[in-house]
Amino acid sequence: MFEFLKKEKINYTVYSKNFELKENNLKVIYNILKKNFYKKYPKKVNFREFTEFKFNLLSFINKKNNYIFTINRNNKIAGFSIGVLKNKNFYESHIYIHPKFQRKRFGSKLSLRALSYTRSNFKIKNFIPLNVENNAIFDINKHIEIGRAHV
């Protein structure tokens, strides 16, 4: 009845070489990437395209210092980011957020989580966003410079 009164459960997952990315989550990430957004997800996917995508993503994640961060709302993936750790810098190359969750700061929350994780685990010097389509990410770097970035 009062949908807006429900507290959203937001959590994050980090995938790297040592973490298994489940088939169902791969399909959700594939759908977000392909912009195939449907009420029920994962929707059926093109088997050939999905197999190629799965191979490429798993090849990426099985390399040292490559990471995928997901933001989950009520235990469903709402978006993800991809990044690489190199020379004490973390390069966040892509952020994809499901349209239903865009303009709700999910991308910023996800980037802050990636920053927090890499800063605490690897003592990074710089967090460098690449391929940015939204200026909100630059606010994060302003917070980093003055030491206020927290998750």
Side-chain angles (χ1 to χ4, degrees):
M1 182 175 181
F2 295 104
E3 189 80 23
F4 65 92
L5 291 176
K6 289 183 182 177
K7 176 122 173 88
E8 290 184 327
K9 182 181 174 194
I10 305 287
N11 58 17
Y12 306 90
T13 308
V14 179
Y15 298 99
S16 64
K17 189 171 185 166
N18 300 325
F19 295 93
E20 180 184 347
L21 195 53
K22 295 180 181 167
E23 183 87 8
N24 202 39
N25 290 342
L26 280 166
K27 287 180 181 176
V28 173
I29 289 171
Y30 173 81
N31 283 331
I32 291 172
L33 189 63
K34 290 297 221 173
K35 295 181 175 40
N36 294 328
F37 305 111
Y38 293 87
K39 288 218 181 243
K40 273 189 157 192
Y41 61 100
K43 83 167 195 78
K44 288 189 176 184
V45 298
N46 178 300
F47 180 75
R48 179 181 279 162
E49 279 184 23
F50 176 70
T51 303
E52 184 178 333
F53 165 80
K54 179 179 169 180
F55 175 79
N56 290 335
L57 191 65
L58 292 177
S59 295
F60 169 83
I61 207 162
N62 282 321
K63 292 180 184 165
K64 187 178 177 185
N65 297 329
N66 292 352
Y67 294 87
I68 296 174
F69 294 88
T70 63
I71 186 167
N72 311 301
R73 180 183 167 263
N74 298 330
N75 296 319
K76 289 187 178 179
I77 295 175
F80 67 97
S81 71
I82 298 172
V84 176
L85 183 68
K86 188 174 182 179
N87 299 328
K88 292 288 184 183
N89 295 317
F90 185 76
Y91 299 90
E92 187 176 56
S93 60
H94 295 87
I95 300 174
Y96 297 95
I97 303 295
H98 189 290
K100 183 177 177 182
F101 306 108
Q102 290 176 1
R103 301 273 184 233
K104 296 181 181 180
R105 313 234 3 112
F106 274 67
S108 295
K109 289 176 186 177
L110 183 57
S111 290
L112 282 171
R113 179 63 181 146
L115 166 67
S116 173
Y117 180 86
T118 54
R119 184 178 267 176
S120 65
N121 289 300
F122 306 109
K123 311 293 186 231
I124 63 164
K125 292 181 182 175
N126 297 303
F127 184 85
I128 303 164
L130 307 170
N131 297 329
V132 176
E133 294 179 16
N134 184 337
N135 290 333
I137 192 72
F138 292 110
D139 292 339
I140 292 169
N141 278 325
K142 288 177 191 171
H143 290 289
I144 293 170
E145 291 169 9
I146 56 178
R148 290 193 319 209
H150 302 287
V151 175

